[in-house]
Amino acid sequence: MTSELADPASLERLWTGATWSEGPAWIPTTARLRWSDVVGNRILEYDAATGEVSEYAREVEYVNGRTLDLAGDVVQCSHGLRRVERDAGGLVTSIVDRFEGRRFNSPNDIVVGSDGALWFTDPPYGLGADGREGHPGEQEYGGCFVFRFDERTGELRAEITDMVHPNGLAFSPDESLLYVADTSGPLDIRVYDVVDGRVAAGSGRSFAAVRPGASDGFRVDVDGRVWTSSGDSVQVLGTDGAVLAKFPVPETVANVCFGGVDGHDLYITATTSLYRLRTTTTGARRS
Ligand code: MG
């Protein structure tokens, strides 16, 4: 197994004290890594210049995954408000919250296409009776879909409807492929062909089944490799789905993102902590 992609010994635990860490995004304008403590119902930030972690916001309606839009503002998934929203300099506004008149389940993770369209997954994890990750509730439209929302036209489309609990998602560098993790049923990453902003009908197939545990969230690097969470590590998958490298992490990993001033840092949200791995590559996207 190769390790030229990163030095496993470079793994650092930057901070600990969260309940369930998820949703990392690098914010270049502030050189900070923002992420969610979903169960703790707060948003945290790591300042890469000082190494300090601060609470960005609390009582945030169980926000989960996030990324940056084309303007550089944060777009994020709210379990509690069952919507996708934008945080522009601390001003939080709703972007979309229902499909055909019915509320979403609990949007989980989001990616932005180069055309500005928002693609997000909608599993039911925020609706649980225990209220740990949202508010107890019912699924209203009878599925767990992957949606594409075009803010310019207001068009919302269900692009993927054949998954059990779609979760993390990311495009290949040329956006011809969309990878989506299923955290129920087969517990695999599926891949779909994307043509002109649409998922090609019938193109979905299994890409890889990450073990132990499963893939929750991931990012794609500039060469198309998939850097994914797993139960005991970050694993790097080639474009054929084969495991190219594995970097052990002491806690269950939920998600990753590339960041840092030069883009070579992989930030890792893992259960109670935030970790960082120094890599020799960069992300196809910076956040
Ligand atoms: Mg997720």
Side-chain angles (χ1 to χ4, degrees):
M1 186 148 310
T2 60
S3 61
E4 67 267 19
L5 292 170
D7 177 1
S10 72
L11 184 80
E12 311 169 72
R13 185 165 75 176
L14 301 173
W15 184 83
T16 192
T19 311
W20 181 252
S21 295
E22 245 284 22
W26 174 255
I27 301 177
T29 51
T30 58
R32 288 172 175 240
L33 189 285
R34 186 179 299 180
W35 84 102
S36 299
D37 178 1
V38 181
V39 176
N41 198 15
R42 58 183 176 159
I43 297 171
L44 301 167
E45 280 197 342
Y46 169 79
D47 184 325
T50 65
E52 291 177 0
V53 167
S54 57
E55 196 173 80
Y56 173 78
R58 58 192 315 159
E59 302 300 322
V60 293
E61 288 291 352
Y62 307 94
V63 165
N64 193 331
R66 62 175 52 73
T67 191
L68 301 187
D69 65 16
L70 297 189
D73 290 323
V74 171
V75 286
Q76 60 193 21
C77 297
S78 172
H79 281 188
L81 296 176
R82 304 173 70 160
R83 71 183 190 184
V84 171
E85 60 190 26
R86 174 173 284 107
D87 181 338
L91 178 65
V92 180
T93 53
S94 181
I95 297 173
V96 61
D97 66 355
R98 53 194 68 213
F99 171 58
E100 296 180 344
R102 297 180 173 89
R103 285 189 296 173
F104 294 134
N105 302 317
S106 47
N108 188 290
D109 211 346
I110 183 166
V111 64
V112 175
S114 58
D115 61 356
L118 311 178
W119 295 69
F120 57 96
T121 56
D122 191 32
Y125 299 119
L127 302 177
D130 60 9
R132 267 173 59 86
E133 296 187 42
H135 304 297
E138 301 296 323
Q139 293 182 231
E140 296 191 1
Y141 64 85
C144 294
F145 297 162
V146 180
F147 293 100
R148 176 189 186 274
F149 183 62
D150 186 332
E151 286 187 271
R152 295 167 302 183
T153 64
E155 183 187 24
L156 177 72
R157 295 198 305 248
E159 287 289 339
I160 298 174
T161 59
D162 65 350
M163 296 182 65
V164 186
H165 288 168
N167 199 317
L169 76 174
F171 283 110
S172 62
D174 67 0
E175 300 185 17
S176 66
L177 301 172
L178 179 65
Y179 299 97
V180 189
D182 202 332
T183 44
S184 188
L187 297 176
D188 63 354
I189 299 174
R190 289 178 64 77
V191 61
Y192 296 80
D193 296 328
V194 179
V195 180
D196 295 332
R198 302 209 75 139
V199 168
S203 67
R205 65 270 188 197
S206 185
F207 171 68
V210 176
R211 299 291 184 271
S215 173
D216 181 335
F218 47 86
R219 293 294 193 277
V220 173
D221 70 23
V222 287
D223 294 312
R225 292 175 290 245
V226 176
W227 293 65
T228 177
S229 65
S230 81
D232 66 353
S233 60
V234 172
Q235 298 186 31
V236 187
L237 310 178
T239 53
D240 61 355
V243 179
L244 302 176
K246 179 172 174 172
F247 302 101
V249 177
E251 299 177 74
T252 296
V253 179
N255 214 332
V256 302
C257 77
F258 286 95
V261 173
D262 64 2
H264 285 279
D265 293 327
L266 188 79
Y267 285 93
I268 302 164
T269 51
T271 314
T272 65
S273 305
L274 179 71
Y275 294 82
R276 182 171 60 196
L277 180 73
R278 187 74 183 153
T279 82
T280 58
T281 186
T282 58
R285 286 173 169 71
R286 287 296 307 274
S287 59

